[in-house]
Coordinates of all heavy atoms in Angstrom, one line a residue:
C238 N 36.3 34.9 12.5 CA 35.3 34.0 12.6 C 35.5 32.9 13.6 O 34.6 32.5 14.4 CB 35.1 33.3 11.2 SG 33.6 32.4 10.8
L239 N 36.7 32.4 13.7 CA 37.0 31.3 14.7 C 36.9 31.8 16.1 O 36.5 31.1 17.0 CB 38.3 30.6 14.3 CG 39.6 31.2 14.6 CD1 40.1 31.0 16.0 CD2 40.7 30.7 13.6
K240 N 37.4 33.1 16.3 CA 37.3 33.6 17.6 C 35.9 33.8 18.2 O 35.7 33.8 19.3 CB 38.0 35.0 17.7 CG 39.5 34.9 17.6 CD 40.2 34.3 18.8 CE 41.7 34.3 18.7 NZ 42.3 33.8 19.9
N241 N 34.9 33.9 17.2 CA 33.5 34.1 17.6 C 32.8 32.7 17.6 O 31.6 32.7 17.7 CB 32.9 35.0 16.7 CG 33.2 36.5 17.0 OD1 32.6 37.1 17.9 ND2 34.2 37.0 16.3
A242 N 33.6 31.6 17.4 CA 32.9 30.3 17.4 C 33.8 29.4 18.3 O 34.4 28.4 17.9 CB 32.9 29.7 16.0
P243 N 33.7 29.6 19.6 CA 34.6 28.9 20.6 C 34.2 27.4 20.7 O 35.0 26.6 21.2 CB 34.4 29.6 21.9 CG 33.1 30.3 21.8 CD 33.0 30.7 20.3
N244 N 33.0 27.0 20.3 CA 32.6 25.6 20.4 C 33.0 24.8 19.2 O 32.8 23.6 19.2 CB 31.1 25.6 20.6 CG 30.6 26.2 21.9 OD1 31.3 26.2 22.9 ND2 29.3 26.6 21.9
I245 N 33.6 25.4 18.3 CA 34.1 24.7 17.0 C 35.6 24.7 17.1 O 36.2 25.8 17.4 CB 33.6 25.4 15.7 CG1 32.1 25.4 15.7 CG2 34.2 24.7 14.5 CD1 31.5 26.2 14.6
P246 N 36.3 23.5 16.8 CA 37.7 23.5 16.9 C 38.3 24.6 16.0 O 38.0 24.7 14.8 CB 38.1 22.1 16.4 CG 36.8 21.3 16.7 CD 35.7 22.2 16.5
A247 N 39.3 25.3 16.5 CA 39.9 26.4 15.7 C 40.6 25.8 14.5 O 40.8 26.4 13.4 CB 40.9 27.1 16.6
K248 N 41.0 24.6 14.6 CA 41.7 23.9 13.5 C 40.8 23.7 12.3 O 41.3 23.4 11.2 CB 42.2 22.5 14.0 CG 43.2 21.8 13.1 CD 43.7 20.5 13.7 CE 44.7 19.8 12.8 NZ 45.1 18.5 13.3
N249 N 39.5 23.8 12.5 CA 38.5 23.5 11.4 C 38.4 24.7 10.5 O 37.6 24.7 9.5 CB 37.1 23.2 12.0 CG 37.1 21.8 12.6 OD1 38.2 21.2 12.9 ND2 35.9 21.2 12.7
F250 N 39.0 25.8 10.8 CA 38.9 27.1 10.0 C 40.0 27.2 9.0 O 41.2 27.1 9.4 CB 38.8 28.3 10.9 CG 37.5 28.4 11.7 CD1 37.3 27.6 12.8 CD2 36.4 29.2 11.2 CE1 36.1 27.7 13.5 CE2 35.2 29.2 12.0 CZ 35.1 28.5 13.1
H251 N 39.7 27.5 7.8 CA 40.7 27.7 6.7 C 40.5 29.0 6.0 O 39.3 29.4 5.8 CB 40.6 26.6 5.7 CG 40.8 25.2 6.2 ND1 42.0 24.5 6.0 CD2 40.0 24.4 6.9 CE1 41.9 23.3 6.6 NE2 40.8 23.2 7.2
A252 N 41.6 29.7 5.6 CA 41.5 30.8 4.7 C 42.0 30.3 3.4 O 43.1 29.6 3.3 CB 42.4 32.0 5.2
L253 N 41.3 30.7 2.3 CA 41.7 30.2 1.0 C 42.9 30.8 0.4 O 43.0 32.0 0.1 CB 40.5 30.4 0.0 CG 40.8 29.8 -1.4 CD1 40.5 28.3 -1.3 CD2 39.8 30.4 -2.4
T254 N 44.0 30.0 0.3 CA 45.2 30.4 -0.4 C 45.5 29.4 -1.5 O 46.6 29.4 -2.1 CB 46.4 30.5 0.5 OG1 46.6 29.3 1.2 CG2 46.2 31.6 1.5
R255 N 44.6 28.5 -1.8 CA 44.8 27.5 -2.8 C 44.9 28.1 -4.2 O 45.7 27.6 -5.1 CB 43.7 26.4 -2.8 CG 43.9 25.2 -3.7 CD 45.3 24.6 -3.4 NE 45.4 23.3 -4.1 CZ 45.0 22.1 -3.6 NH1 44.5 22.1 -2.4 NH2 45.2 21.1 -4.3
L256 N 44.2 29.2 -4.5 CA 44.3 29.8 -5.8 C 45.8 30.3 -6.0 O 46.3 30.2 -7.1 CB 43.3 31.0 -6.0 CG 43.4 31.7 -7.3 CD1 43.2 30.8 -8.5 CD2 42.3 32.8 -7.3
D257 N 46.4 30.9 -5.0 CA 47.8 31.3 -5.1 C 48.7 30.1 -5.3 O 49.6 30.2 -6.1 CB 48.2 32.0 -3.8 CG 47.2 33.1 -3.4 OD1 47.0 34.0 -4.3 OD2 46.7 33.1 -2.3
E258 N 48.4 29.0 -4.7 CA 49.2 27.8 -4.9 C 49.1 27.3 -6.4 O 50.1 27.0 -7.0 CB 48.8 26.7 -4.0 CG 49.5 25.3 -4.2 CD 49.0 24.2 -3.5 OE1 48.5 24.4 -2.3 OE2 49.0 23.0 -4.0
N259 N 47.9 27.3 -6.9 CA 47.6 26.9 -8.3 C 48.3 27.8 -9.2 O 48.9 27.4 -10.2 CB 46.1 26.8 -8.6 CG 45.4 25.7 -7.8 OD1 46.0 24.9 -7.2 ND2 44.1 25.7 -7.9
R260 N 48.3 29.1 -8.9 CA 49.0 30.1 -9.8 C 50.5 29.8 -9.8 O 51.1 29.9 -10.9 CB 48.6 31.5 -9.4 CG 47.2 31.9 -9.6 CD 46.9 33.2 -8.9 NE 45.6 33.8 -9.4 CZ 44.9 34.8 -8.8 NH1 45.5 35.3 -7.7 NH2 43.8 35.2 -9.3
A261 N 51.0 29.5 -8.7 CA 52.5 29.3 -8.6 C 52.9 28.0 -9.3 O 53.9 28.0 -10.0 CB 52.9 29.2 -7.1
K262 N 52.1 27.0 -9.2 CA 52.4 25.8 -10.0 C 52.4 26.0 -11.4 O 53.2 25.5 -12.2 CB 51.4 24.7 -9.6 CG 51.6 24.1 -8.2 CD 50.5 23.0 -7.9 CE 50.8 22.2 -6.6 NZ 49.8 21.2 -6.4
C263 N 51.4 26.8 -11.9 CA 51.3 27.1 -13.3 C 52.6 27.8 -13.8 O 53.1 27.5 -14.8 CB 50.1 28.0 -13.6 SG 49.9 28.7 -15.2
Q264 N 53.0 28.8 -13.1 CA 54.2 29.6 -13.5 C 55.5 28.8 -13.5 O 56.3 28.9 -14.4 CB 54.3 30.9 -12.7 CG 53.2 31.9 -12.8 CD 52.9 32.3 -14.3 OE1 53.9 32.6 -15.0 NE2 51.7 32.2 -14.7

Side-chain angles (χ1 to χ4, degrees):
C238 197
L239 74 86
K240 287 291 186 177
N241 283 277
N244 295 333
I245 298 169
K248 193 177 181 182
N249 287 18
F250 290 80
H251 298 256
L253 184 75
T254 56
R255 187 55 170 270
L256 179 56
D257 306 306
E258 177 188 327
N259 290 352
R260 288 168 170 168
K262 286 181 173 179
C263 172
Q264 294 306 312

